[in-house]
Amino acid sequence: MSSSLLPVLKSTSGKKRGIFNRLGATGNEADSVPFQYSPLGESQIRVLRISIEPTTGFLVGSFNTIDLESSVGTYRAISYCWGDPTPAYRVLFENGQSLIVTKSAAEILTHVLPRHPQDTFWIDQLCINQADNVEKSAQVMLMGQIYASTKQVIAWLGCGDSDCEKAIGFVQTMFKEVEDRKRKGLQPTLEPMMSSAPRLRNLTSEMSRERKWTALSRLLANSWFERAWVMQEVIMACNLTASREEDHTIVSFEKCSVSFDVLAEVLGVLENDHLTLNLIYDRQNADGTKETGVDPPGIGAVRLFSAWRIMRGKGTPIFLEAALRGAWYHKATDARDKLYAVLGYCEDVADARLRPDYGSPAENVYQAWATVLLEREDLDAMPLPMAGIGLQRSLANLPSWVPDFSSGSYEVQSSPGHRTGQLYEASGKHTISAIIVDQPSQSILSQGIYIDTVETVFPQPSFTKPKQWFDFFKPALLTPDSDEYRSKIRWLESIEAFLTASPGHPSERTEAQLKEALWQTMIGLDPSDGAAIDGDLPKAFDSWYLAYRQLAGKDKAGLLAQQTRKADFYDQVQAFEDLKAVSLQDRPIFGTDQKRLLGHGPKGLLAGDAVYVIKGARTPFLLREVVDGDDRREDERRKWRLVGPCFLRGIMYGEGLRLGDWTELVVI
């Protein structure tokens, strides 16, 4: 559509609906021309002021150019999701020119800015010349300072609906309860309030308790919480403002709003009280699968934003590797912004190769960042544990050793290289990596010790219904289709058969040892680190294993009766299922050829993949040899593609160092 045919934004004053009116065929506005931006200085930004043209009601914009250093606390900044990037409306300017904006920006201009008629605003879609990659790159470097210098950040989550109003009312009621308890010198908790149904109804209207949690779950599932840029915008909000009379960040809909700090405090109390179990939603994954009963992303996002905001306030540095991990599951319209969005609040980003460059494709940007991170000689941090062709990848042309930050694959969450609660030492203690990045060949040179080759892969059976996240054994979730449980039993039996069949190496493992190898692999526990094993774990696994065998032969009535009679038993079952879900998720278990070891790795692993310990890395890695035909010279080095990090029981604490010598690896 020609820009001159796009609707022109009009004031919403006095109107309930139809706020975006199309421009008539006549009038000076129809002849408006595209806006021509004036150049900005090194520390300058544009701020926007909106006025209403009295005769037509059209919104008319004007820009002021200000210097960031001398303009602290003089404007408000907007945090929002771009959403659909399709041009939707025109904004008129005083000089007869116009700017094209998306629907989300149009909502902000019509609903948010008129509430503050005396203020100026910074909103990236208009205040940055989006057609100028040089200016965009320079302005992105200032983003942290822009949000730190603002009077207030207004987080626009959309127009919302009645459920949004109810959710925010619920949050404010809970916050009042927490504050009342604090004033009385009592522990901040919401359990007394939630345990009294009549009191809860009196405090929050007659809406049912279930509806309250559903409304709050919907709010926390808003896409704003998943946006990569939001991390910076909230963490840095008003950091340089000397004194504030207003909240640093307001979470806003058309008809209601709540302070981010209020939302954070309420969620913190709910988590301490284990009440966030009431907050669930259905997640549609990038691969088309659906998961039900998932925590809304807003729970983890608010927790992370708040913690890092506190760190920044105390002067504690946030380092690049941690920031990239935190941003991994967040989303960005531009794939490069998954990286650029962390620059404003990290300390160790002085390397010129990390500077925004919107003239360079995402593949080049990702490779440059991976190179910088590899040169830091900390393979445990980044980027190898998040890389590999065995993980879900969106960019086909990336070298295998470069993480695909655009994918945001949830499988990385269960990767042994990503988990922070278990510090493995596969290459030994205090081993320094020796990786060299060869830019001409887009490969890395390292050293590794060969451990074994994958012989058999045991993919977890998929459920026919949408996958429940944890909680397989709650009464409401038990299904009468015992085939699903039988498939799980067949999966377990196939792994047991592998462990008992060792051609040429008669197994002397007892049944207890076989089960031990199985459950420890499932939850990523390697006892060779010398740590004591929780005595309840073997018992929980035995209950879990027995439950699947029992569930495979019962109808739903029998299942519920069994669970009712053995409540403690099923508590143990659920406890092990939760541990397995965190560690394993959908990662397949595999067995190796010669040493008959058991492990798990990324979904894309194949029989024939080689397991190596790479010098300086905490976990083993799966590598796949590159076969270019029969024309490889005898003196030519073997080349490998990184499949991904893996857990291999018995190799996680340096045992592999006794199995061979360091040899050169070329990974492309």
Side-chain angles (χ1 to χ4, degrees):
M1 178 186 291
S2 169
S3 62
S4 63
L5 299 179
L6 290 172
V8 174
L9 285 182
K10 197 170 185 179
S11 169
T12 62
S13 176
K15 300 181 186 297
K16 293 183 178 180
R17 289 288 180 262
I19 61 173
F20 305 127
N21 292 336
R22 287 191 176 275
L23 186 65
T26 61
N28 293 334
E29 293 85 359
D31 299 325
S32 63
V33 297
F35 190 86
Q36 299 297 313
Y37 286 95
S38 299
L40 292 173
E42 185 175 347
S43 62
Q44 289 182 327
I45 64 170
R46 302 180 188 92
V47 291
L48 175 68
R49 188 184 298 276
I50 288 290
S51 60
I52 301 174
E53 208 283 325
T55 57
T56 64
F58 290 138
L59 298 182
V60 180
S62 61
F63 285 124
N64 293 333
T65 299
I66 63 173
D67 184 84
L68 267 178
E69 299 289 342
S70 58
S71 303
V72 174
T74 63
Y75 60 93
R76 300 179 194 268
I78 305 296
S79 173
Y80 69 111
C81 293
W82 272 52
D84 184 355
T86 305
Y89 303 96
R90 284 188 297 141
V91 180
L92 301 179
F93 280 76
E94 294 172 339
N95 53 11
Q97 299 176 347
S98 66
L99 269 175
I100 297 171
V101 297
T102 65
K103 182 176 181 292
S104 60
E107 290 176 349
I108 293 166
L109 295 176
T110 53
H111 292 302
V112 179
L113 272 61
R115 299 175 189 170
H116 309 276
Q118 304 305 316
D119 286 333
T120 56
F121 293 83
W122 189 89
I123 174 171
D124 62 347
Q125 196 173 138
L126 288 88
C127 295
I128 298 176
N129 183 356
Q130 299 294 331
D132 185 342
N133 284 335
V134 174
E135 177 179 303
K136 187 159 61 170
S137 298
Q139 289 283 288
V140 164
M141 282 299 294
L142 296 175
M143 292 274 274
Q145 188 178 354
I146 290 171
Y147 281 89
S149 303
T150 186
K151 178 192 299 186
Q152 185 182 59
V153 173
I154 299 176
W156 175 253
L157 274 64
C159 291
D161 54 21
S162 60
D163 265 5
C164 296
E165 297 175 47
K166 292 167 184 173
I168 286 183
F170 190 26
V171 169
Q172 291 169 334
T173 298
M174 289 188 285
F175 179 73
K176 182 177 181 299
E177 177 79 4
V178 170
E179 292 301 297
D180 285 346
R181 291 185 64 85
K182 285 182 179 179
R183 280 193 293 270
K184 296 173 183 177
L186 300 174
Q187 181 74 17
T189 177
L190 290 164
E191 285 183 335
M193 171 183 169
M194 298 301 170
S195 62
S196 173
R199 182 162 179 250
L200 184 60
R201 284 197 298 271
N202 292 336
L203 286 169
T204 58
S205 83
E206 291 302 314
M207 182 177 61
S208 72
R209 181 185 302 199
E210 182 180 350
R211 184 69 180 276
K212 296 180 183 73
W213 293 116
T214 301
L216 184 53
S217 296
R218 283 192 58 203
L219 185 153
L220 294 170
N222 188 285
S223 57
W224 179 80
F225 294 102
E226 296 184 282
R227 182 172 169 264
W229 284 110
V230 165
M231 299 179 70
Q232 175 176 253
E233 293 158 2
V234 174
I235 292 167
M236 298 300 293
C238 307
N239 279 184
L240 297 180
T241 307
S243 61
R244 292 193 307 271
E245 296 180 359
E246 300 178 279
D247 294 303
H248 65 82
T249 303
I250 291 292
V251 177
S252 179
F253 293 96
E254 179 182 359
K255 295 181 179 179
C256 56
S257 61
V258 66
S259 163
F260 179 86
D261 284 344
V262 168
L263 179 61
E265 179 158 2
V266 167
L267 287 179
V269 174
L270 288 175
E271 286 198 281
N272 289 336
D273 290 344
H274 305 290
L275 291 170
T276 50
L277 295 173
N278 293 296
L279 300 170
I280 57 174
Y281 87 118
D282 297 344
R283 180 172 70 204
Q284 192 72 36
N285 294 324
D287 60 4
T289 60
K290 182 180 180 180
E291 295 183 71
T292 63
V294 181
D295 291 344
I299 297 175
V302 171
R303 183 196 314 120
L304 181 65
F305 301 167
S306 299
W308 283 3
R309 180 172 175 80
I310 292 170
M311 286 176 62
R312 289 282 313 185
K314 293 179 178 179
T316 304
I318 299 172
F319 294 109
L320 184 59
E321 291 86 351
L324 289 174
R325 288 185 186 279
W328 179 264
Y329 305 108
H330 288 73
K331 300 174 182 178
T333 305
D334 188 314
R336 294 163 292 195
D337 286 341
K338 285 289 292 287
L339 304 183
Y340 297 157
V342 308
L343 289 171
Y345 58 92
C346 292
E347 300 296 320
D348 51 341
V349 292
D351 193 302
R353 290 170 292 179
L354 302 178
R355 292 183 65 85
D357 179 5
Y358 286 97
S360 187
E363 291 87 346
N364 292 5
V365 173
Y366 287 7
Q367 185 169 333
W369 279 55
T371 299
V372 171
L373 292 164
L374 283 172
E375 289 174 354
R376 296 183 177 185
E377 298 183 342
D378 185 2
L379 296 190
D380 172 55
M382 289 285 282
L384 294 190
M386 303 176 82
I389 59 174
L391 298 170
Q392 178 183 323
R393 290 163 81 84
S394 304
L395 301 177
N397 296 325
L398 281 178
S400 67
W401 52 272
V402 177
D404 186 352
F405 295 95
S406 68
S407 73
S409 169
Y410 280 89
E411 186 183 358
V412 173
Q413 189 176 35
S414 62
S415 163
H418 184 70
R419 294 166 60 206
T420 56
Q422 183 78 52
L423 292 178
Y424 302 117
E425 296 171 347
S427 64
K429 294 183 179 180
H430 314 301
T431 305
I432 303 299
S433 70
I435 284 189
I436 298 173
V437 179
D438 183 54
Q439 293 292 354
S441 65
Q442 295 189 333
S443 63
I444 58 174
L445 309 178
S446 186
Q447 292 180 306
I449 295 175
Y450 169 74
I451 303 300
D452 208 346
T453 299
V454 175
E455 177 189 88
T456 310
V457 181
F458 307 98
Q460 293 193 65
S462 59
F463 284 88
T464 57
K465 299 177 178 60
K467 183 173 55 180
Q468 293 286 348
W469 184 250
F470 297 60
D471 302 333
F472 284 89
F473 299 97
K474 286 187 175 179
L477 305 180
L478 293 174
T479 67
D481 184 0
S482 59
D483 285 345
E484 295 188 344
Y485 298 102
R486 292 193 187 105
S487 67
K488 181 72 78 171
I489 290 298
R490 288 193 292 269
W491 175 70
L492 293 171
E493 289 175 342
S494 65
I495 299 172
E496 290 177 338
F498 165 81
L499 289 172
T500 56
S502 301
H505 299 278
S507 176
E508 297 179 356
R509 289 169 172 161
T510 64
E511 181 179 355
Q513 289 172 328
L514 292 175
K515 284 188 175 181
E516 182 180 76
L518 183 54
W519 70 258
Q520 289 179 0
T521 299
M522 284 183 174
I523 65 174
L525 177 65
D526 194 332
S528 56
D529 68 341
I533 296 176
D534 186 341
D536 291 335
L537 287 176
K539 184 178 179 181
F541 171 75
D542 286 340
S543 299
W544 178 88
Y545 187 85
L546 179 59
Y548 266 110
R549 289 196 174 278
Q550 293 175 336
L551 295 175
K554 296 181 182 294
D555 58 18
K556 186 162 186 176
L559 298 177
L560 294 176
Q562 171 108 357
Q563 191 179 58
T564 302
R565 289 194 304 270
K566 297 184 176 182
D568 292 343
F569 172 81
Y570 274 92
D571 285 344
Q572 293 176 1
V573 173
Q574 187 62 58
F576 185 82
E577 181 65 36
D578 292 349
L579 288 172
K580 182 184 75 70
V582 169
S583 174
L584 204 58
Q585 291 194 29
D586 290 331
R587 291 165 61 84
I589 286 178
F590 67 87
T592 67
D593 180 22
Q594 296 298 316
K595 298 179 177 62
R596 315 306 289 175
L597 299 174
L598 208 58
H600 57 75
K603 280 185 182 179
L605 75 89
L606 298 173
D609 289 344
V611 183
Y612 272 85
V613 168
I614 295 180
K615 195 169 188 178
R618 290 189 179 274
T619 70
F621 283 85
L622 291 161
L623 301 178
R624 188 171 300 160
E625 187 170 10
V626 178
V627 180
D628 295 326
D630 300 327
D631 56 350
R632 183 165 68 90
R633 301 189 314 271
E634 290 187 7
D635 61 341
E636 188 176 353
R637 292 177 296 187
R638 299 169 72 185
K639 296 178 182 178
W640 304 85
R641 286 193 174 91
L642 184 72
V643 178
C646 68
F647 173 89
L648 192 60
R649 183 176 179 270
I651 301 294
M652 305 304 292
Y653 290 95
E655 299 89 341
L657 303 183
R658 300 190 296 268
L659 300 179
D661 298 323
W662 296 109
T663 59
E664 187 177 66
L665 292 173
V666 180
V667 181
I668 65 173

